[in-house]
Amino acid sequence: MQSYRKELTFKTKTREEFINFTPQVEAALRESGIKEGLCLVNAMHITASVFINDNESGLYNDFARWLEQYVPWDPPKYQHNQTGEDNGSAHIRRQLFGREVVVAITNGALDFGPWEQIFYGEHDGKRSKRVLIKLIGSKEEHSKDFSIFTHHISGFL
């Protein structure tokens, strides 16, 4: 079992932004040499999110419109903002999109369904925030791992 850790930093130009960073995750996977396992990707800030969806620009507009309708950027509306903050809606938006994703690694590639990509969601931007990529698995192909597994388990059968 091997593990590999890499941090990425995002600094957006706007308060709300969605970034497809699948290529950076795939590059980290190549750097790791892991062929079979799991890839965890998580936002390391409470007002940022990581999620999987289709890389289609109309969705970004739909997300932004939906968020503004149901979780508007309206500082007086949120109790959190009575503490001196102004980003109560960003915390709620992060909860809606989620903190992390886990993707299977198969034959050295992220094992996605059709159209799936990994996105960073910024909900209170214009400052640097980190994302963690953690890869855990084997540097051997699955078929080799499976034969080792069946060899070990055969003694119990």
Side-chain angles (χ1 to χ4, degrees):
M1 184 73 66
Q2 304 287 318
S3 69
Y4 181 83
R5 182 183 194 279
K6 183 171 189 170
E7 283 186 21
L8 303 176
T9 302
F10 293 97
K11 184 175 183 180
T12 62
K13 295 177 183 163
T14 60
R15 177 165 275 168
E16 188 90 40
E17 198 169 327
F18 302 105
I19 301 168
N20 180 347
F21 70 106
T22 306
Q24 292 95 318
V25 178
E26 291 171 330
L29 178 55
R30 285 190 300 275
E31 292 165 15
S32 76
I34 292 174
K35 302 295 183 199
E36 298 292 329
L38 296 172
C39 172
L40 167 73
V41 185
N42 67 269
M44 298 177 75
H45 197 279
I46 198 68
T47 59
S49 59
V50 173
F51 61 96
I52 292 178
N53 213 309
D54 187 358
N55 188 24
E56 195 276 309
S57 61
L59 280 174
Y60 307 153
N61 295 328
D62 293 340
F63 292 156
R65 189 176 63 249
W66 187 88
L67 287 169
E68 197 52 37
Q69 180 179 352
Y70 293 103
V71 191
W73 191 270
D74 183 6
K77 184 175 185 168
Y78 303 99
Q79 285 186 335
H80 171 72
N81 295 345
Q82 294 173 8
T83 66
E85 301 271 348
D86 71 349
N87 63 355
S89 70
H91 289 273
I92 296 169
R93 290 170 183 220
R94 186 273 179 95
Q95 286 303 112
L96 294 171
F97 279 88
R99 177 183 182 268
E100 74 274 323
V101 298
V102 176
V103 180
I105 302 166
T106 304
N107 296 322
L110 297 173
D111 206 344
F112 286 129
W115 311 111
E116 289 185 330
Q117 300 283 293
I118 302 173
F119 291 86
Y120 172 76
E122 177 56 71
H123 309 291
D124 187 24
K126 301 183 181 182
R127 56 191 164 133
S128 295
K129 295 183 186 172
R130 298 175 298 145
V131 169
L132 173 67
I133 301 170
K134 184 73 173 189
L135 303 157
I136 301 170
S138 172
K139 293 188 176 186
E140 295 183 31
E141 295 295 327
H142 178 70
S143 60
K144 293 177 187 174
D145 287 345
F146 187 72
S147 66
I148 291 169
F149 171 75
T150 56
H151 174 74
H152 287 295
I153 200 166
S154 65
F156 294 106
L157 299 176

PDB file of all heavy atoms in Angstrom, residues 8-24:
ATOM      1  N   LEU A   8      -2.990  21.783  -3.745  1.00  0.00           N
ATOM      2  CA  LEU A   8      -3.144  22.801  -4.773  1.00  0.00           C
ATOM      3  C   LEU A   8      -3.658  24.065  -4.093  1.00  0.00           C
ATOM      4  O   LEU A   8      -4.343  23.990  -3.067  1.00  0.00           O
ATOM      5  CB  LEU A   8      -4.157  22.369  -5.828  1.00  0.00           C
ATOM      6  CG  LEU A   8      -3.897  21.055  -6.556  1.00  0.00           C
ATOM      7  CD1 LEU A   8      -5.063  20.737  -7.497  1.00  0.00           C
ATOM      8  CD2 LEU A   8      -2.594  21.104  -7.323  1.00  0.00           C
ATOM      9  N   THR A   9      -3.343  25.213  -4.658  1.00  0.00           N
ATOM     10  CA  THR A   9      -3.836  26.481  -4.133  1.00  0.00           C
ATOM     11  C   THR A   9      -4.627  27.192  -5.226  1.00  0.00           C
ATOM     12  O   THR A   9      -4.172  27.279  -6.363  1.00  0.00           O
ATOM     13  CB  THR A   9      -2.674  27.378  -3.658  1.00  0.00           C
ATOM     14  OG1 THR A   9      -1.938  26.673  -2.653  1.00  0.00           O
ATOM     15  CG2 THR A   9      -3.178  28.686  -3.081  1.00  0.00           C
ATOM     16  N   PHE A  10      -5.800  27.674  -4.862  1.00  0.00           N
ATOM     17  CA  PHE A  10      -6.645  28.435  -5.781  1.00  0.00           C
ATOM     18  C   PHE A  10      -6.851  29.832  -5.211  1.00  0.00           C
ATOM     19  O   PHE A  10      -7.068  29.994  -4.014  1.00  0.00           O
ATOM     20  CB  PHE A  10      -8.014  27.772  -5.953  1.00  0.00           C
ATOM     21  CG  PHE A  10      -7.953  26.455  -6.656  1.00  0.00           C
ATOM     22  CD1 PHE A  10      -7.935  25.274  -5.935  1.00  0.00           C
ATOM     23  CD2 PHE A  10      -7.911  26.387  -8.039  1.00  0.00           C
ATOM     24  CE1 PHE A  10      -7.884  24.050  -6.579  1.00  0.00           C
ATOM     25  CE2 PHE A  10      -7.853  25.176  -8.691  1.00  0.00           C
ATOM     26  CZ  PHE A  10      -7.837  23.999  -7.960  1.00  0.00           C
ATOM     27  N   LYS A  11      -6.776  30.822  -6.076  1.00  0.00           N
ATOM     28  CA  LYS A  11      -7.123  32.200  -5.708  1.00  0.00           C
ATOM     29  C   LYS A  11      -7.980  32.738  -6.848  1.00  0.00           C
ATOM     30  O   LYS A  11      -7.474  33.034  -7.931  1.00  0.00           O
ATOM     31  CB  LYS A  11      -5.894  33.065  -5.502  1.00  0.00           C
ATOM     32  CG  LYS A  11      -6.245  34.462  -5.024  1.00  0.00           C
ATOM     33  CD  LYS A  11      -5.028  35.288  -4.693  1.00  0.00           C
ATOM     34  CE  LYS A  11      -5.472  36.642  -4.162  1.00  0.00           C
ATOM     35  NZ  LYS A  11      -4.309  37.480  -3.834  1.00  0.00           N
ATOM     36  N   THR A  12      -9.272  32.846  -6.592  1.00  0.00           N
ATOM     37  CA  THR A  12     -10.194  33.253  -7.639  1.00  0.00           C
ATOM     38  C   THR A  12     -10.265  34.769  -7.764  1.00  0.00           C
ATOM     39  O   THR A  12      -9.907  35.503  -6.840  1.00  0.00           O
ATOM     40  CB  THR A  12     -11.597  32.692  -7.371  1.00  0.00           C
ATOM     41  OG1 THR A  12     -12.080  33.217  -6.143  1.00  0.00           O
ATOM     42  CG2 THR A  12     -11.577  31.173  -7.327  1.00  0.00           C
ATOM     43  N   LYS A  13     -10.757  35.211  -8.904  1.00  0.00           N
ATOM     44  CA  LYS A  13     -10.897  36.643  -9.170  1.00  0.00           C
ATOM     45  C   LYS A  13     -12.248  37.180  -8.695  1.00  0.00           C
ATOM     46  O   LYS A  13     -12.423  38.376  -8.552  1.00  0.00           O
ATOM     47  CB  LYS A  13     -10.737  36.907 -10.661  1.00  0.00           C
ATOM     48  CG  LYS A  13      -9.348  36.570 -11.162  1.00  0.00           C
ATOM     49  CD  LYS A  13      -9.235  36.757 -12.653  1.00  0.00           C
ATOM     50  CE  LYS A  13      -7.839  36.325 -13.089  1.00  0.00           C
ATOM     51  NZ  LYS A  13      -7.734  36.094 -14.497  1.00  0.00           N
ATOM     52  N   THR A  14     -13.186  36.264  -8.469  1.00  0.00           N
ATOM     53  CA  THR A  14     -14.524  36.670  -8.043  1.00  0.00           C
ATOM     54  C   THR A  14     -14.915  35.919  -6.782  1.00  0.00           C
ATOM     55  O   THR A  14     -14.288  34.929  -6.415  1.00  0.00           O
ATOM     56  CB  THR A  14     -15.560  36.388  -9.156  1.00  0.00           C
ATOM     57  OG1 THR A  14     -15.552  34.991  -9.443  1.00  0.00           O
ATOM     58  CG2 THR A  14     -15.251  37.176 -10.419  1.00  0.00           C
ATOM     59  N   ARG A  15     -15.964  36.372  -6.146  1.00  0.00           N
ATOM     60  CA  ARG A  15     -16.428  35.753  -4.902  1.00  0.00           C
ATOM     61  C   ARG A  15     -16.936  34.333  -5.139  1.00  0.00           C
ATOM     62  O   ARG A  15     -16.675  33.425  -4.356  1.00  0.00           O
ATOM     63  CB  ARG A  15     -17.526  36.611  -4.279  1.00  0.00           C
ATOM     64  CG  ARG A  15     -18.111  35.999  -3.018  1.00  0.00           C
ATOM     65  CD  ARG A  15     -18.913  36.985  -2.246  1.00  0.00           C
ATOM     66  NE  ARG A  15     -17.983  37.727  -1.399  1.00  0.00           N
ATOM     67  CZ  ARG A  15     -18.284  38.828  -0.753  1.00  0.00           C
ATOM     68  NH1 ARG A  15     -19.469  39.355  -0.855  1.00  0.00           N
ATOM     69  NH2 ARG A  15     -17.389  39.420   0.001  1.00  0.00           N
ATOM     70  N   GLU A  16     -17.696  34.120  -6.226  1.00  0.00           N
ATOM     71  CA  GLU A  16     -18.261  32.800  -6.549  1.00  0.00           C
ATOM     72  C   GLU A  16     -17.661  32.351  -7.876  1.00  0.00           C
ATOM     73  O   GLU A  16     -17.748  33.057  -8.869  1.00  0.00           O
ATOM     74  CB  GLU A  16     -19.780  32.896  -6.683  1.00  0.00           C
ATOM     75  CG  GLU A  16     -20.478  31.578  -6.821  1.00  0.00           C
ATOM     76  CD  GLU A  16     -20.857  31.001  -5.477  1.00  0.00           C
ATOM     77  OE1 GLU A  16     -21.294  31.755  -4.589  1.00  0.00           O
ATOM     78  OE2 GLU A  16     -20.721  29.787  -5.304  1.00  0.00           O
ATOM     79  N   GLU A  17     -17.038  31.153  -7.856  1.00  0.00           N
ATOM     80  CA  GLU A  17     -16.420  30.648  -9.087  1.00  0.00           C
ATOM     81  C   GLU A  17     -16.334  29.127  -9.021  1.00  0.00           C
ATOM     82  O   GLU A  17     -16.155  28.559  -7.946  1.00  0.00           O
ATOM     83  CB  GLU A  17     -15.019  31.256  -9.238  1.00  0.00           C
ATOM     84  CG  GLU A  17     -14.450  31.169 -10.624  1.00  0.00           C
ATOM     85  CD  GLU A  17     -13.195  32.014 -10.790  1.00  0.00           C
ATOM     86  OE1 GLU A  17     -13.065  33.089 -10.150  1.00  0.00           O
ATOM     87  OE2 GLU A  17     -12.317  31.590 -11.566  1.00  0.00           O
ATOM     88  N   PHE A  18     -16.448  28.506 -10.203  1.00  0.00           N
ATOM     89  CA  PHE A  18     -16.335  27.056 -10.316  1.00  0.00           C
ATOM     90  C   PHE A  18     -15.206  26.747 -11.290  1.00  0.00           C
ATOM     91  O   PHE A  18     -15.189  27.270 -12.405  1.00  0.00           O
ATOM     92  CB  PHE A  18     -17.658  26.440 -10.802  1.00  0.00           C
ATOM     93  CG  PHE A  18     -18.811  26.758  -9.894  1.00  0.00           C
ATOM     94  CD1 PHE A  18     -19.764  27.694 -10.256  1.00  0.00           C
ATOM     95  CD2 PHE A  18     -18.929  26.134  -8.664  1.00  0.00           C
ATOM     96  CE1 PHE A  18     -20.819  28.004  -9.421  1.00  0.00           C
ATOM     97  CE2 PHE A  18     -19.983  26.434  -7.819  1.00  0.00           C
ATOM     98  CZ  PHE A  18     -20.929  27.373  -8.197  1.00  0.00           C
ATOM     99  N   ILE A  19     -14.268  25.886 -10.856  1.00  0.00           N
ATOM    100  CA  ILE A  19     -13.073  25.589 -11.646  1.00  0.00           C
ATOM    101  C   ILE A  19     -12.948  24.087 -11.832  1.00  0.00           C
ATOM    102  O   ILE A  19     -12.902  23.329 -10.856  1.00  0.00           O
ATOM    103  CB  ILE A  19     -11.808  26.133 -10.945  1.00  0.00           C
ATOM    104  CG1 ILE A  19     -11.917  27.647 -10.759  1.00  0.00           C
ATOM    105  CG2 ILE A  19     -10.550  25.741 -11.713  1.00  0.00           C
ATOM    106  CD1 ILE A  19     -10.866  28.226  -9.827  1.00  0.00           C
ATOM    107  N   ASN A  20     -12.848  23.655 -13.076  1.00  0.00           N
ATOM    108  CA  ASN A  20     -12.574  22.250 -13.378  1.00  0.00           C
ATOM    109  C   ASN A  20     -11.076  22.035 -13.191  1.00  0.00           C
ATOM    110  O   ASN A  20     -10.269  22.601 -13.919  1.00  0.00           O
ATOM    111  CB  ASN A  20     -12.988  21.933 -14.809  1.00  0.00           C
ATOM    112  CG  ASN A  20     -12.725  20.485 -15.181  1.00  0.00           C
ATOM    113  OD1 ASN A  20     -12.028  19.753 -14.496  1.00  0.00           O
ATOM    114  ND2 ASN A  20     -13.285  20.075 -16.300  1.00  0.00           N
ATOM    115  N   PHE A  21     -10.698  21.223 -12.213  1.00  0.00           N
ATOM    116  CA  PHE A  21      -9.274  20.963 -11.995  1.00  0.00           C
ATOM    117  C   PHE A  21      -8.942  19.475 -12.119  1.00  0.00           C
ATOM    118  O   PHE A  21      -7.948  18.984 -11.572  1.00  0.00           O
ATOM    119  CB  PHE A  21      -8.778  21.581 -10.678  1.00  0.00           C
ATOM    120  CG  PHE A  21      -9.284  20.944  -9.416  1.00  0.00           C
ATOM    121  CD1 PHE A  21      -8.445  20.150  -8.644  1.00  0.00           C
ATOM    122  CD2 PHE A  21     -10.579  21.165  -8.984  1.00  0.00           C
ATOM    123  CE1 PHE A  21      -8.903  19.576  -7.467  1.00  0.00           C
ATOM    124  CE2 PHE A  21     -11.041  20.603  -7.804  1.00  0.00           C
ATOM    125  CZ  PHE A  21     -10.200  19.806  -7.049  1.00  0.00           C
ATOM    126  N   THR A  22      -9.729  18.778 -12.904  1.00  0.00           N
ATOM    127  CA  THR A  22      -9.466  17.363 -13.177  1.00  0.00           C
ATOM    128  C   THR A  22      -8.052  17.140 -13.720  1.00  0.00           C
ATOM    129  O   THR A  22      -7.386  16.193 -13.278  1.00  0.00           O
ATOM    130  CB  THR A  22     -10.524  16.808 -14.153  1.00  0.00           C
ATOM    131  OG1 THR A  22     -11.820  17.079 -13.612  1.00  0.00           O
ATOM    132  CG2 THR A  22     -10.354  15.320 -14.361  1.00  0.00           C
ATOM    133  N   PRO A  23      -7.561  17.970 -14.651  1.00  0.00           N
ATOM    134  CA  PRO A  23      -6.197  17.733 -15.160  1.00  0.00           C
ATOM    135  C   PRO A  23      -5.125  17.755 -14.064  1.00  0.00           C
ATOM    136  O   PRO A  23      -4.165  16.973 -14.115  1.00  0.00           O
ATOM    137  CB  PRO A  23      -5.992  18.870 -16.168  1.00  0.00           C
ATOM    138  CG  PRO A  23      -7.370  19.223 -16.620  1.00  0.00           C
ATOM    139  CD  PRO A  23      -8.236  19.054 -15.392  1.00  0.00           C
ATOM    140  N   GLN A  24      -5.268  18.616 -13.057  1.00  0.00           N
ATOM    141  CA  GLN A  24      -4.289  18.658 -11.966  1.00  0.00           C
ATOM    142  C   GLN A  24      -4.362  17.388 -11.113  1.00  0.00           C
ATOM    143  O   GLN A  24      -3.349  16.904 -10.626  1.00  0.00           O
ATOM    144  CB  GLN A  24      -4.495  19.897 -11.094  1.00  0.00           C
ATOM    145  CG  GLN A  24      -4.162  21.201 -11.794  1.00  0.00           C
ATOM    146  CD  GLN A  24      -5.373  21.866 -12.415  1.00  0.00           C
ATOM    147  OE1 GLN A  24      -6.221  21.227 -13.019  1.00  0.00           O
ATOM    148  NE2 GLN A  24      -5.448  23.185 -12.286  1.00  0.00           N
TER     149      GLN A  24
END
